[in-house]
Amino acid sequence: MGAAQLLQFTIAGLKNGAIYALIALGFTIVYASTGILNFAQGEFYMLGGMVAVWALRTLGLPLLAAVPAAVLVTVGVGALVERLALRPRRAEAPLVLIIITIGVSMLLQSLARHLFGPNEVALPPFTAGPSITFFGAAIERQTLWVWGLTAVALLVLWVLYTRTKLGLAMRATAVSHDSSRLVGIDTARVVMVTFALAAALGALAGVAVAPLTQTAYDVGARIGLKGFAAAILGGLGGPVAAVAGGLVLGLTESLSAAFISSTYKDAIALVVLLAVIFLKPSGLFGRAGREKV
Amino acid sequence: MGTRRKTGAGHTFRRVMTAALIVALVALSAAGCSAPTSKASAPAAEKAPIKLGAVLSLTGTYAGLGVPERNAIEMEVARINAAGGIGGRSIEVVYEDDATDPAKAQAATTRLIEREGVLGIIGATGTGQTMGMRADIDRAGIPQVSMAGGNAVTAQFDKLVFQTPWPNRIVVPFTLDFMKKAGITTIALLTDSGGYGKDGRQVVLDDVAKYGVTVVADETFNAGDTDMTTQLTKIKAKAPQAVWMWAAGKEGAIIVKNAKDLDPSGSMRIFGAPGNGRTEFIDGAGAAAEGFTFAAGRILAPDSYGRGTKAFKVATDFIGRYTQKYGKAPDIFAGHAYDAISILADALKRAGSDADSAKLRDAIEATKGLVGVGGTFDLSATDHNGLTAKDLVMYRIEGGVWKVVE
């Protein structure tokens, strides 16, 4: 096994890992401010890609406009999901809310199938051109976009959480809804902003990946599961932990496919996940009882 | 007080309406129950339709296959009925969606048999779903015409089960023969770990030796995987002359794109299977699809039927009508569905419009020289597919379109 090949496996792992990381970020921030897991997160990813293709092909927008348009539409959907499906049931137990998100994911998937049809659709790469060769390993230009967007998302979240008033309100809400309300924070609004933000992250991942893989109305469930696994692996501990969880999951899959078996790579990744949960229930990068963001 | 009385009146009114509705529904359903007997006693003015079932993947991974299949069936049934049906009886098809899930395909089959009392079933779209239906088909003793390309469908023989696509036992030797003539002796396999790919992989492994071809790498992927770089990096290290992939969905486009990145000079030729004959594949793979080679039926290039032949007429007629109705040329899957409904209609004509399931099965098995779009069907008691390698051609993608390779 040459060094170039090892590098190629690592690149493949980090590419998938970055995608998982963006989804895991969505899971993590929603969990932080509401204490629930949003299983419609994968559908935001699907919507990002599908709306971008729709805007490009049907509306005839240029790619430069279709991508932000797709993210904005998905942000709107995310906010509506919170307002219409979750807020009316805010007082229910978390399990009820989680089940509502599963229902929402089915609804969004069915809607997408009716609106956009059952076939897979393609989005052109953000920057055209052949792959870049790096020490004998090939990197698609779109992969650089995926990495870049993940880094930017992480940076923006970090600034938001540590440097802005909204971020402070989000962190306060994460600690306690009741106390936050007592000091004048509109927690309902904070939760809605969190959903919109999670939707933006999902949509961003969806549009960034569509040129690599094509997209379809049904891609959300699987990527949602991967992102969920990454979030758990990271310990639902915060943005950095989510990204780390995603990258570890991607690398585990890639290296298992490379050195053990491509058929069982998903199973191996799952075994690693279970092992982590058994040995360190708070996740690789989470600390029990720690502030959630 | 006035308003309260008003609402009270509203309640009574609503209650009366509800009761009326219930009575009407009961009366309707009673009429529905007695309909067959009343129709049987009446003269043949309005005969009950011949009821067939269709189990298709309208959602899930194979939705892109199941939807054109339903389009083709709907169009053909409407045409048959407009032309007077079969012996004065129209055909009615009850559609069920299996969501690309074998368990749901089985449940749908049960429903079609128990509740709808269908005479025969078209479907399923996929191999796994088709196999999942078998126990119920056998129990009910009704014929099934599948549109799945897996070898198992007719290789694991069942006297009730027929198949319209070219099974892998025809596709694989045909492709291997092509490779041999092209001087390819070392190949790598990259196959879907699910039904279609697993089936193809096994047939390839069984047949390669006969053509002097060696499999130097044998990799798989899972449906929904978004990156195949790792598998292709391993494959490239073994330097095969060709990579043979077995993928029906969007994974196919990912594989050719990843392969192009790792091997820009194209030292490994990429081969595929009939399932790649979809425009979505070319759209998704873009320039990376150039040079991609696969075997499929002649529907993708109707000229290859031979202008003026009956097959050419049948195919161009179907392609023309389908394109006009749905605004898009039919793909091979629409063709498989056209063949399935054609086989059933042809058999019904011979068996008579009042045939039972057993007679219909016998008539299907006796199909001879039926020209469809997938080829000419000659069925027998031992061959429930009836196609041969003559019905296949090799295609290569050039300039973003399929070209027949001579």
Side-chain angles (χ1 to χ4, degrees):
Chain A
M1 199 65 48
Q5 279 166 27
L6 197 62
L7 185 64
Q8 191 75 60
F9 297 142
T10 311
I11 289 167
L14 291 177
K15 174 172 109 183
N16 276 335
I19 302 166
Y20 301 158
L22 281 170
I23 308 294
L25 278 175
F27 270 104
T28 304
I29 62 170
V30 167
Y31 178 76
S33 73
T34 63
I36 67 164
L37 291 161
N38 170 27
F39 281 102
Q41 187 63 34
E43 306 310 324
F44 296 150
Y45 168 94
M46 177 276 291
L47 278 178
M50 295 304 282
V51 174
V53 174
W54 175 76
L56 191 78
R57 286 201 188 164
T58 312
L59 299 186
L61 294 182
L63 188 64
L64 207 65
V67 168
V71 175
L72 280 178
V73 168
T74 313
V75 163
V77 172
L80 280 179
V81 164
E82 192 279 330
R83 185 66 192 83
L84 300 179
L86 293 164
R87 199 182 296 176
R89 290 270 170 261
R90 193 66 199 107
E92 304 274 0
L95 190 62
V96 174
L97 298 175
I98 290 172
I99 289 168
I100 289 176
T101 68
I102 295 174
V104 166
S105 79
M106 289 172 174
L107 178 74
L108 291 177
Q109 190 181 333
S110 303
L111 275 178
R113 184 168 63 85
H114 285 293
L115 292 175
F116 307 121
N119 286 318
E120 63 266 34
V121 288
L123 197 68
F126 294 179
T127 35
S131 298
I132 293 154
T133 309
F134 176 74
F135 291 108
I139 308 177
E140 293 141 305
R141 283 162 194 252
Q142 192 64 22
T143 304
L144 298 177
W145 274 103
V146 172
W147 287 339
L149 288 172
T150 310
V152 169
L154 191 59
L155 190 71
V156 167
L157 281 181
W158 181 77
V159 171
L160 180 75
Y161 275 121
T162 56
R163 296 282 181 275
T164 69
K165 214 166 181 183
L166 178 65
L168 196 65
M170 289 168 107
R171 283 161 64 203
T173 309
V175 176
S176 164
H177 274 240
D178 291 340
S179 320
S180 303
R181 269 201 294 274
L182 280 177
V183 297
I185 294 171
D186 182 354
T187 54
R189 193 177 132 252
V190 166
V191 170
M192 192 193 237
V193 169
T194 313
F195 264 86
L197 205 57
L201 289 166
L204 206 59
V207 275
V209 174
L212 290 168
T213 64
Q214 295 180 271
T215 188
Y217 77 96
D218 64 347
V219 296
R222 186 176 176 280
I223 202 78
L225 213 59
K226 296 277 185 184
F228 169 65
I232 296 290
L233 202 57
L236 286 164
V240 177
V243 170
L247 296 180
V248 169
L249 184 66
L251 278 175
T252 310
E253 283 185 1
S254 169
L255 296 178
S256 341
F259 296 107
I260 309 171
S261 151
S262 45
T263 308
Y264 298 113
K265 70 176 169 35
D266 287 353
I268 293 166
L270 200 66
V271 168
V272 170
L273 177 67
L274 286 174
V276 169
I277 292 174
F278 278 127
L279 298 175
K280 197 167 180 302
S282 54
L284 283 181
F285 310 97
R287 263 171 286 152
R290 184 189 149 212
E291 186 188 344
K292 280 178 280 192
V293 284
Chain B
M1 264 324 252
T3 49
R4 193 188 283 174
R5 199 174 300 139
K6 209 172 171 184
T7 50
H11 272 295
T12 318
F13 176 71
R14 208 175 296 161
R15 217 172 292 156
V16 170
M17 283 306 285
T18 314
L21 199 66
I22 290 169
V23 171
L25 280 174
V26 169
L28 270 177
S29 62
C33 291
S34 62
T37 46
S38 64
K39 270 185 187 164
S41 61
E46 183 140 325
K47 291 181 190 167
I50 300 166
K51 215 179 221 188
L52 299 173
V55 179
L56 307 172
S57 299
L58 300 175
T59 57
T61 316
Y62 288 164
L65 288 59
V67 172
E69 287 174 352
R70 184 184 57 189
N71 288 346
I73 296 171
E74 276 178 347
M75 186 179 87
E76 284 311 297
V77 167
R79 188 179 65 89
I80 293 166
N81 289 344
I86 308 278
R89 290 179 75 185
S90 59
I91 295 178
E92 181 195 340
V93 179
V94 182
Y95 296 91
E96 291 278 350
D97 174 22
D98 67 24
T100 322
D101 177 349
K104 288 199 180 123
Q106 196 230 327
T109 308
T110 313
R111 208 155 42 234
L112 287 172
I113 293 168
E114 306 297 339
R115 217 177 288 167
E116 302 290 343
V118 296
L119 199 63
I121 290 183
I122 299 173
T125 302
T127 302
Q129 293 71 31
T130 299
M131 299 309 282
M133 292 160 65
R134 186 157 291 185
D136 287 273
I137 291 286
D138 285 345
R139 184 172 52 77
I142 68 169
Q144 175 190 9
V145 183
S146 170
M147 296 166 293
N151 210 39
V153 175
T154 47
Q156 285 177 32
F157 191 81
D158 185 310
K159 70 184 186 49
L160 292 164
V161 183
F162 302 86
Q163 180 180 30
T164 57
W166 323 274
N168 289 334
R169 63 176 175 279
I170 299 177
V171 174
V172 168
F174 181 77
T175 312
L176 281 170
D177 189 50
F178 179 89
M179 287 179 177
K180 190 182 168 188
K181 282 175 186 153
I184 293 168
T185 53
T186 53
I187 62 165
L189 282 177
L190 182 49
T191 54
D192 181 351
S193 60
Y196 185 55
K198 212 166 153 184
D199 193 283
R201 173 180 171 273
Q202 195 52 52
V203 180
V204 173
L205 292 177
D206 290 346
D207 284 359
V208 277
K210 277 182 260 170
Y211 294 86
V213 172
T214 323
V215 176
V216 294
D218 180 8
E219 294 289 327
T220 62
F221 62 90
N222 299 324
D225 277 0
T226 50
D227 184 79
M228 317 294 173
T229 314
T230 305
Q231 289 93 323
L232 286 162
T233 304
K234 284 169 82 179
I235 285 173
K236 195 185 161 199
K238 300 276 171 58
Q241 288 166 284
V243 179
W244 196 349
M245 73 173 195
W246 223 276
K250 55 183 171 296
E251 297 82 5
I254 299 173
I255 291 173
V256 293
K257 280 205 289 188
N258 289 166
K260 184 81 184 169
D261 284 327
L262 295 178
D263 177 32
S265 63
S267 64
M268 304 186 291
R269 284 184 69 176
I270 315 282
F271 284 78
N276 302 119
R278 303 173 62 220
T279 48
E280 286 82 4
F281 172 74
I282 298 179
D283 289 347
E290 291 297 297
F292 177 78
T293 313
F294 66 105
R298 298 173 189 274
I299 185 174
L300 301 178
D303 278 350
S304 67
Y305 288 106
R307 282 179 175 275
T309 59
K310 187 169 181 208
F312 179 77
K313 269 185 223 139
V314 167
T316 46
D317 170 56
F318 169 66
I319 294 168
R321 283 185 295 119
Y322 188 100
T323 312
Q324 196 186 359
K325 186 154 197 267
Y326 299 108
K328 188 178 181 221
D331 53 18
I332 61 166
F333 305 100
H336 296 328
Y338 170 88
D339 289 342
I341 188 74
S342 302
I343 286 174
L344 278 166
D346 174 70
L348 276 168
K349 267 181 212 151
R350 281 181 282 112
S353 63
D354 55 351
D356 59 10
S357 291
K359 280 208 185 108
L360 175 60
R361 188 216 78 88
D362 295 345
I364 296 172
E365 196 167 76
T367 301
K368 285 283 176 284
L370 178 71
V371 178
V373 297
T376 302
F377 292 90
D378 276 312
L379 302 182
S380 72
T382 50
D383 182 0
H384 275 193
N385 169 248
L387 296 176
T388 62
K390 286 199 196 85
D391 299 309
L392 291 171
V393 277
M394 288 306 281
Y395 290 95
R396 183 159 50 218
I397 296 176
E398 284 169 21
V401 289
W402 302 299
K403 293 269 168 67
V404 176
V405 187
E406 298 305 330

